Amino acid sequence: MTKLLSFSKISFKEALSYKFEVFLWMVAVPVGLAVYYFLWKSIYSYTGQEVIRGFTLSELLSYFVLIEIVAYIVWSNADQRLARKVYTGDLVVPLVRPVKIYFNYLFHRFGRLLFFIPINTTIFAFIGIYFFDMKAASLAHIGLFVLSIFLSIMLVYSFVFLLGISAFWLKDFTGLHLIKQGIIWLVGGGLAPLVFFPKLAQQILALLPFQYMLYAPAQIFLGNFTMTEIYQVLAIQVIWTVLLCVFIHFAWKKAMLKFSGVGA
Amino acid sequence: MSWFNIWRGWVKLEISKLMAYRFNFVLKSIAMLIFGIGGPLIAMIIYNISSGIPGWTFEEFLLINGIFIFIAGLNHLLFESMTWRIIHKVRDGSFDVRLVKPISALIYATITGVELEGLSRTFLGGIIIVYSLVKMGWAFSLINLVSFIFLIFLAMIFMYSIDVITTALSFLVVKSYALMDIFREFTHVGRYPITIYGTTGMMAFTFLFPVGLAAFYPASAILGKIPTITIFYLAAVAFAFFGFSILLWKLAIRKYSSAGG
């Protein structure tokens, strides 16, 4: 454990040098939220309904704030890091360490989160509470939301890591990395709550892991799931993560047979 | 060597890169389509669950989205990569090489900004524009079509100016790629009808930060919703914004210290 925590410590120290980047991010994201505000305000007032598909305007805007918070926390670039190491041949260095590379990058991410979570959550919580009257359904929902975010970190990380392994076979990984980002955003609930999608699309998406990455934690916070549904979501998050870890195990074995350590 | 020859040489290089990494090009193009498809998808969602946006039918809203995707794609195809290339060079200090070339650094950056991955998004935007016009039963009008093409040109001037401003700021804020995200967020303001931002917003996004040019005004022009005189005002605004971006570039490049690594 001490070995793993040392990755987190280094990562936290690295993050401290990105203060200005963080500030710039904090300028960019509220612009996107402001666009959502004007767009949906106009739609609600033109439609003349207070509630659309179970969301009041204030709840919908809170949803978008929560999506930003969750996306920021669960985001991972482990795939890019892994791909870079494969292309340069530098992967041999983490391979000789007494820690599995999966945990190496995971704990590196935890270190970053120690830096980003307090800043990110404070700013977005302020925007959500002050401008959009954002509130959790109950204290228990906040606890379950936190648990769900943790499971979502594991789920997204495992998914991203598995994709990163494809770098052993691909000449350039950037295309797949971009596809991953687009898909998670589009069908993970970043575009709009999934209950806004047609029924058939919702049924198909329920079979995939993406809605458990962003959408589900946000819905838990807002109290739009019953307790039974929440426990189901948490169980599905665990199942998907375990399943992805099994895939990672086999894919990694294949990848190691392919890896030569030669790079540019 | 003329600018055109440099541009042609660069495009040839891009094509060879594409041929070497064909599968990655396909993947990147798919990624661009996925990002682009968000526009029509949100249009379908909005008009499926509500009455939509005041003053805009589903097809008209789709048209605005299509134009935005088309413009963003064209900008990606022709210019946008100059931003991250220069930010990278400023960061590691290798921008010096650009300064010793016998051509203006801005012109060189512009003509080597081509990135073929932008093709798929441009194509998608074009399809959405044609689809929405056919679906709404658009009646051909030469004056509206010419106005539309001219406003597309102004939209490109606006997008190019944004690219120039982003790169100019990278001389002042050396350590940041986040600048690109900030300006991307700001330009996304224009992917919806700017009427949703109220009168003040409309004025601001027409005269101060003319992001309305990115989709709203070209769409209004082809639908015959704006008088000809407005197009002249918009041209003046677009060129003024372009002038501002060039001025900022000239001022900012003086701050380039060549210290990187």
Side-chain angles (χ1 to χ4, degrees):
Chain A
M1 197 63 183
T2 324
K3 287 185 203 115
L4 290 172
L5 287 176
S6 64
F7 291 118
S8 304
K9 222 162 97 183
I10 286 286
S11 173
F12 181 77
K13 283 181 182 168
E14 276 174 8
L16 286 175
S17 64
Y18 288 104
K19 289 187 286 286
F20 191 70
E21 291 253 344
V22 173
F23 169 74
L24 287 178
W25 275 104
M26 296 306 155
V27 175
V29 177
V31 175
L33 287 173
V35 172
Y36 280 132
Y37 167 76
F38 283 108
L39 176 70
W40 287 100
K41 187 175 159 242
S42 146
I43 292 167
Y44 271 78
S45 79
Y46 188 53
T47 305
Q49 284 176 300
E50 281 203 6
V51 180
I52 297 178
R53 297 271 170 111
F55 280 85
T56 62
L57 177 62
S58 155
E59 281 168 349
L60 183 64
L61 295 168
S62 301
Y63 170 84
F64 285 121
V65 173
L66 286 163
I67 286 289
E68 292 292 347
I69 293 175
V70 178
Y72 212 92
I73 294 173
V74 304
W75 175 82
S76 165
N77 70 342
D79 53 344
Q80 276 182 308
R81 296 188 71 204
L82 185 60
R84 214 174 300 130
K85 295 261 185 225
V86 172
Y87 297 135
T88 56
D90 289 345
L91 189 71
V92 288
V93 180
L95 282 179
V96 295
R97 286 188 184 136
V99 172
K100 283 201 162 135
I101 198 160
Y102 175 89
F103 293 107
N104 174 337
Y105 287 177
L106 180 64
F107 275 76
H108 185 276
R109 181 67 194 150
F110 287 155
R112 284 290 157 99
L113 287 178
L114 281 181
F115 174 79
F116 285 120
I117 287 180
I119 303 172
N120 161 283
T121 313
T122 311
I123 293 176
F124 285 110
F126 171 77
I127 293 175
I129 294 165
Y130 188 77
F131 293 103
F132 307 136
D133 194 26
M134 182 173 86
K135 48 181 176 278
S138 73
L139 214 57
H141 282 85
I142 295 177
L144 291 164
F145 168 68
V146 173
L147 179 61
S148 172
I149 283 192
F150 174 73
L151 294 174
S152 180
I153 291 173
M154 297 304 297
L155 174 60
V156 172
Y157 176 77
S158 301
F159 176 70
V160 165
F161 193 88
L162 181 62
L163 274 189
I165 295 177
S166 65
F168 287 93
W169 288 272
L170 294 174
K171 282 184 185 165
D172 189 341
F173 180 71
T174 44
L176 205 56
H177 171 74
L178 289 172
I179 289 181
K180 169 211 77 182
Q181 280 184 316
I183 288 182
I184 291 181
W185 190 251
L186 216 61
V187 295
L191 193 67
L194 298 184
V195 284
F196 286 11
F197 283 53
K199 273 275 176 286
L200 181 67
Q202 286 182 49
Q203 282 164 358
I204 295 169
L205 292 176
L207 303 172
L208 301 170
F210 306 109
Q211 65 166 288
Y212 305 100
M213 295 176 175
L214 307 174
Y215 175 71
Q219 287 286 69
I220 289 174
F221 184 92
L222 292 170
N224 289 337
F225 286 159
T226 62
M227 277 298 165
T228 319
E229 283 171 333
I230 292 174
Y231 294 131
Q232 267 174 4
V233 163
L234 298 177
I236 293 172
Q237 284 181 312
V238 173
I239 292 168
W240 266 114
T241 307
V242 172
L243 209 62
L244 288 168
C245 285
V246 172
F247 287 141
I248 287 171
H249 176 75
F250 289 110
W252 188 257
K253 273 190 170 178
K254 286 255 180 209
M256 283 299 100
L257 294 174
K258 175 98 183 157
F259 183 59
S260 63
V262 179
Chain B
M1 193 185 265
S2 73
W3 297 351
F4 180 70
N5 282 342
I6 301 174
W7 184 82
R8 207 171 53 178
W10 183 263
V11 173
K12 273 185 186 170
L13 265 176
E14 276 290 305
I15 293 172
S16 351
K17 205 169 78 185
L18 182 155
M19 297 313 281
Y21 298 103
R22 285 184 295 273
F23 185 58
N24 194 51
F25 174 75
V26 173
L27 290 180
K28 275 187 174 175
S29 301
I30 293 172
M32 290 303 121
L33 286 179
I34 291 172
F35 283 116
I37 216 89
L41 199 61
I42 196 74
M44 283 161 67
I45 288 172
I46 288 171
Y47 282 84
N48 189 30
I49 62 168
S50 72
S51 312
I53 313 276
W56 295 86
T57 63
F58 169 68
E59 288 79 11
E60 289 171 346
F61 186 74
L62 200 60
L63 176 69
I64 291 188
N65 260 286
I67 293 172
F68 185 84
I69 295 165
F70 180 75
I71 295 292
L74 216 51
N75 183 45
H76 185 174
L77 178 68
L78 298 175
F79 309 121
E80 199 181 41
S81 78
M82 71 187 253
T83 53
W84 63 261
R85 283 184 215 277
I86 290 189
I87 290 173
H88 182 72
K89 285 184 182 298
V90 170
R91 197 167 188 165
D92 69 7
S94 62
F95 188 68
D96 301 27
V97 181
R98 291 282 177 93
L99 293 175
V100 295
K101 285 187 194 289
I103 183 172
S104 145
L106 179 58
I107 292 170
Y108 188 79
T110 305
I111 55 187
T112 56
V114 174
E115 209 176 29
L116 296 173
E117 285 88 13
L119 267 174
S120 60
R121 201 153 32 143
T122 312
F123 193 61
L124 175 70
I127 289 175
I128 297 170
I129 292 171
V130 173
Y131 172 81
S132 47
L133 286 175
V134 170
K135 199 86 175 39
M136 73 176 73
W138 179 68
F140 179 80
S141 152
L142 187 64
I143 183 82
N144 288 352
L145 187 65
V146 171
S147 307
F148 171 70
I149 293 168
F150 182 63
L151 276 157
I152 290 284
F153 169 69
L154 294 183
M156 284 312 295
I157 289 182
F158 167 73
M159 295 299 266
Y160 174 69
S161 305
I162 291 287
D163 294 336
V164 174
I165 290 170
T166 312
T167 45
L169 289 178
S170 73
F171 295 117
L172 308 175
V173 188
V174 177
K175 275 179 73 178
S176 192
Y177 286 94
L179 279 171
M180 289 168 62
D181 294 296
I182 288 188
F183 281 102
R184 200 170 295 136
E185 286 291 342
F186 274 112
T187 47
H188 276 215
V189 167
R191 75 179 307 153
Y192 305 114
I194 57 169
T195 44
I196 63 171
Y197 303 110
T199 316
T200 318
M202 252 191 100
M203 295 297 275
F205 297 136
T206 301
F207 297 109
L208 212 58
F209 180 69
V211 72
L213 282 170
F216 174 77
Y217 284 113
S220 304
I222 202 163
L223 297 173
K225 285 188 177 185
I226 48 169
T228 315
I229 188 74
T230 310
I231 297 171
F232 288 106
Y233 292 143
L234 291 170
V237 170
F239 283 107
F241 194 71
F242 173 66
F244 166 74
S245 70
I246 300 294
L247 189 69
L248 186 69
W249 167 278
K250 287 190 171 169
L251 291 172
I253 202 168
R254 291 183 199 162
K255 297 282 177 191
Y256 176 62
S257 65
S258 174

